[in-house]
Amino acid sequence: AVAPSLEDATRRLRPFDFRNPSKMARDHVRRMELTHETFQRALGAKLSSALRTMVRLELLAIDQLTYDEYVRAMPNPTVITSITMEPLPDQALIEMSTSTALTLVDRLLGGAGKPGLNRRPTELESALIADVLREAESAMRETFEPLLAVEPSVVSVEFNPNFVHGANPSEMVMVMSFSLSVVQGLRSEGLMTICYPFSMLEPLWEMMPSSEDQRPALGPGESTPPEILGALSEIAMPLAVRLRESDIDAGELSALSVGDVLRLDHKVNEAVIASVAGMELLEGRIGRKGKNVALEISNWRNE
């Protein structure tokens, strides 16, 4: 089957119940959480480079609420950045307190990062804040790259939430809340939120399966699709090999020293189980290959 184009997805009419706005499916929320791990790393690295100090982001929560509720919860003044992400429709918003933004500006100018007051920035400070927030463009591009090639662009930076029209007041939005911490010098921490209108994300989900369970399982002899292998090829996975559990007396354990040999209950010819990211997936036998300890795989565990 041919996936629908982005233009077809945006033009399709959909029913909407204003009394019971629909919420995003759980697997879509989970997918946004996973993809924004890239956003945390990318934006943290770019801000660290620009400000010459360590900046760390951590996802705190994901909420689904109406745009009106999101705006009403904002202080005034606050820093609101509107970002378009062609070819997706509408705009995403990045919001942080003016106090946090002024702290970043102080770092940018070589200061110690003294926490600023919650006031409206001056014209010069506003230009510097916009420069700092443009670091989010490339971070957004990297974040959505596994799903869709987008071209983020900062279109405006406002300080009064009433002057920003990110969505209709009754439209549902996804709000991702991050802690933004400067962890060197004068330590400071603030809150940053990203708001995605559902109208922006819906075309994205319609071009791909809404659930991992909807994908057909691979049958015997079938190989993994190349596009999946391409996405997984550079992901590092922890692998651990577990031997049979052995019992040892507490007294014997306390008497162990360097050079002692411990007798295990695992037999030499007995298969071992290898776990990948905590899941028992492989069976095999341990041995040596040259000077290295090796695992010869004998079977995939399908249970």
Side-chain angles (χ1 to χ4, degrees):
V2 179
S5 67
L6 183 61
E7 183 178 2
D8 292 339
T10 54
R11 289 182 176 180
R12 187 176 304 157
L13 297 179
R14 307 176 185 85
F16 186 85
D17 186 348
F18 289 93
R19 293 171 297 181
N20 298 292
S22 59
K23 292 192 174 184
M24 189 170 291
R26 182 179 303 175
D27 59 319
H28 290 162
V29 175
R30 177 60 177 162
R31 187 171 299 177
M32 290 291 286
E33 180 181 356
L34 293 175
T35 56
H36 278 71
E37 291 178 359
T38 301
F39 179 81
Q40 297 175 65
R41 293 191 299 268
L43 185 57
K46 294 180 186 304
L47 290 179
S48 297
S49 176
L51 305 180
R52 300 177 299 281
T53 187
M54 183 64 70
V55 179
R56 182 178 301 157
L57 276 83
E58 181 181 356
L59 180 62
L60 300 178
I62 300 179
D63 300 298
Q64 300 184 61
L65 58 160
T66 65
Y67 179 73
D68 183 62
E69 291 172 332
Y70 175 62
V71 172
R72 286 178 180 272
M74 292 182 188
N76 190 359
T78 190
V79 179
I80 310 174
T81 307
S82 300
I83 299 182
T84 59
M85 292 198 294
E86 295 291 342
L88 293 175
D90 300 320
Q91 299 178 358
L93 302 179
I94 296 181
E95 181 266 341
M96 69 172 63
S97 69
T98 56
S99 175
T100 300
L102 291 173
T103 299
L104 300 182
V105 167
D106 187 55
R107 287 277 188 175
L108 183 66
L109 297 177
K114 183 178 180 181
L117 299 175
N118 192 25
R119 59 171 176 82
R120 184 180 178 88
T122 64
E123 186 175 347
L124 176 59
E125 290 169 337
S126 300
L128 293 174
I129 290 173
D131 289 341
V132 171
L133 291 174
R134 284 192 180 91
E135 299 291 346
E137 292 178 343
S138 56
M140 284 283 196
R141 188 181 301 109
E142 294 180 32
T143 299
F144 281 86
E145 187 175 12
L147 305 176
L148 179 70
V150 298
E151 192 56 43
S153 177
V154 172
V155 294
S156 67
V157 178
E158 295 286 349
F159 303 103
N160 187 333
N162 298 318
F163 293 164
V164 179
H165 181 69
N168 293 324
S170 58
E171 181 176 353
M172 294 296 293
V173 295
M174 170 178 283
V175 178
M176 309 186 75
S177 302
F178 298 84
S179 67
L180 192 155
S181 307
V182 178
V183 296
Q184 289 180 336
L186 285 178
R187 298 176 63 93
S188 61
E189 184 172 346
L191 184 68
M192 184 185 79
T193 64
I194 304 179
C195 171
Y196 293 109
F198 277 20
S199 57
M200 167 179 278
L201 298 178
E202 280 179 343
L204 188 65
W205 305 136
E206 291 195 6
M207 291 189 294
M208 59 186 62
S210 61
S211 173
E212 297 295 330
D213 295 334
Q214 294 179 358
R215 297 182 181 179
L218 296 177
E222 294 182 355
S223 59
T224 305
E227 59 272 18
I228 297 181
L229 288 176
L232 295 176
S233 60
E234 298 182 0
I235 298 178
M237 302 291 290
L239 185 144
V241 176
R242 176 169 55 84
L243 305 178
R244 176 190 293 276
E245 295 182 358
S246 301
D247 295 328
I248 182 173
D249 295 335
E252 184 181 355
L253 178 64
S254 63
L256 289 176
S257 60
V258 177
D260 288 349
V261 176
L262 190 62
R263 185 176 180 275
L264 304 178
D265 294 336
H266 192 95
K267 294 181 173 52
V268 175
N269 60 350
E270 184 178 353
V272 297
I273 298 174
S275 301
V276 179
M279 299 179 61
E280 297 181 350
L281 295 181
L282 302 169
E283 291 181 2
R285 300 184 185 278
I286 56 174
R288 285 188 175 275
K289 184 174 183 181
K291 296 182 179 181
N292 300 319
V293 178
L295 171 68
E296 182 184 24
I297 299 173
S298 59
N299 187 30
W300 280 85
R301 293 171 63 89
N302 297 320
E303 298 88 50

